Amino acid sequence: MDDGTNHAMFENTTYNRPLVPTMMTALTMGNDATSQVVYGPMSSVLQFGQIVELVVFNWDAGNHPFHLHGHKFALLWKSEDVTSDDREVNPIFEEGAANPLWRDTVHIPSGGAVRIRFIADNPGAWFFHCHIEWHLSAGLAWTFIEAPLEMQKNIRPPQYVYDHCKALNLPISGNAAGHNSTTDFKGLKLGPYPQKLGWRPKGIGAMFGCVMSAVLGMGTVVWYSLSSVVSD
């Protein structure tokens, strides 16, 4: 990453915990709760009853068990290696499976992929993440905010939820940064981002210093070898 740390990503973006719990944002932002932007970059807003299909590729060197909260999904297709011509390893997806597997967790090997589908019929804020804890901590997660206006009608968090937030000094209203706004996200952590490859200013400076040191060093050697030999 561009800060020298190791992080995981969906869509080249690493997950950072919002300052306001996502459910609280959905419950307190009124009609603006239907806008994805209020929840931060690693989120999607789903309409009630929407059919959601995800195709997840694992380009990492490691294997990942991905888990979805709030739903069991239909596993429609799985590839062990998307680059393979072997149809036992990398089958062709065919629509209309009579009896697909239903799971809430699916293992995706390195280089593999899955196609999953579920119906957004359970209003709430639901996490989709790698079930290896430190991979989740590294940012391999996404949040689905499902039917936020239905949430406002039907969900009433118990008092202990507010008590926990207060004990943790967490704001309980507003957008992901705690502001009643669709544009003000001051204080919300973003990044780190993928490292930009190629010649960057620091690299250019370091290379210039190395080349200059080499030229001066060789020049010194040549000058010394051509100079008069002084004997006692």
Side-chain angles (χ1 to χ4, degrees), residues 11 14 24 33 60-61 84 103 120 136 156 174 179 187 193 209 228:
E11 299 292 325
T14 189
M24 296 303 190
D60 188 37
S84 176
R103 297 287 186 269
L136 170 57
R156 298 291 180 270
H179 308 296
Y193 300 100
S228 307

Side-chain angles (χ1 to χ4, degrees), residues 41-231:
M42 297 296 288
S43 60
S44 297
V45 175
L46 308 178
Q47 297 180 7
F48 186 78
Q50 179 179 345
I51 296 176
V52 183
E53 182 170 296
L54 305 177
V55 180
V56 185
F57 291 89
N58 177 14
W59 299 122
D60 188 37
N63 303 328
H64 295 284
F66 284 103
H67 174 61
L68 176 64
H69 290 224
H71 291 278
K72 285 185 170 61
F73 51 76
L75 178 58
L76 304 178
W77 170 80
K78 182 174 182 179
S79 170
E80 299 292 328
D81 179 1
V82 296
T83 66
S84 176
D85 294 326
D86 184 345
R87 292 310 174 203
E88 292 293 325
V89 175
N90 184 28
I92 296 174
F93 169 64
E94 295 182 1
E95 186 65 82
N99 188 27
L101 294 173
W102 290 86
R103 297 287 186 269
D104 61 13
T105 305
V106 60
H107 173 267
I108 308 179
S110 176
V114 298
R115 184 186 295 261
I116 63 176
R117 189 180 295 166
F118 65 94
I119 300 175
D121 57 0
N122 187 18
W126 305 118
F127 229 16
F128 181 65
H129 64 96
C130 180
H131 223 290
I132 298 174
E133 185 62 30
W134 72 270
H135 292 180
L136 170 57
S137 299
L140 195 50
W142 194 274
T143 306
F144 292 105
I145 301 90
E146 191 170 322
L149 298 184
E150 293 296 320
M151 292 174 64
Q152 292 175 12
K153 295 177 183 177
N154 300 311
I155 294 180
R156 298 291 180 270
Q159 182 58 43
Y160 67 77
V161 172
Y162 296 97
D163 295 340
H164 287 175
C165 290
K166 182 178 179 180
L168 295 171
N169 199 30
L170 295 177
I172 57 174
S173 65
N175 63 22
H179 308 296
N180 188 22
S181 170
T182 59
T183 57
D184 182 5
F185 292 89
K186 183 179 180 180
L188 181 65
K189 180 181 178 181
L190 299 174
Y193 300 100
Q195 188 176 21
K196 295 180 180 179
L197 303 179
W199 288 101
R200 311 301 301 166
K202 288 184 179 180
I204 294 171
M207 178 58 74
F208 178 80
C210 290
V211 172
M212 285 300 299
S213 297
V215 170
L216 291 173
M218 291 301 296
T220 301
V221 171
V222 172
W223 170 80
Y224 184 78
S225 66
L226 295 177
S227 64
S228 307
V229 177
V230 180
S231 59

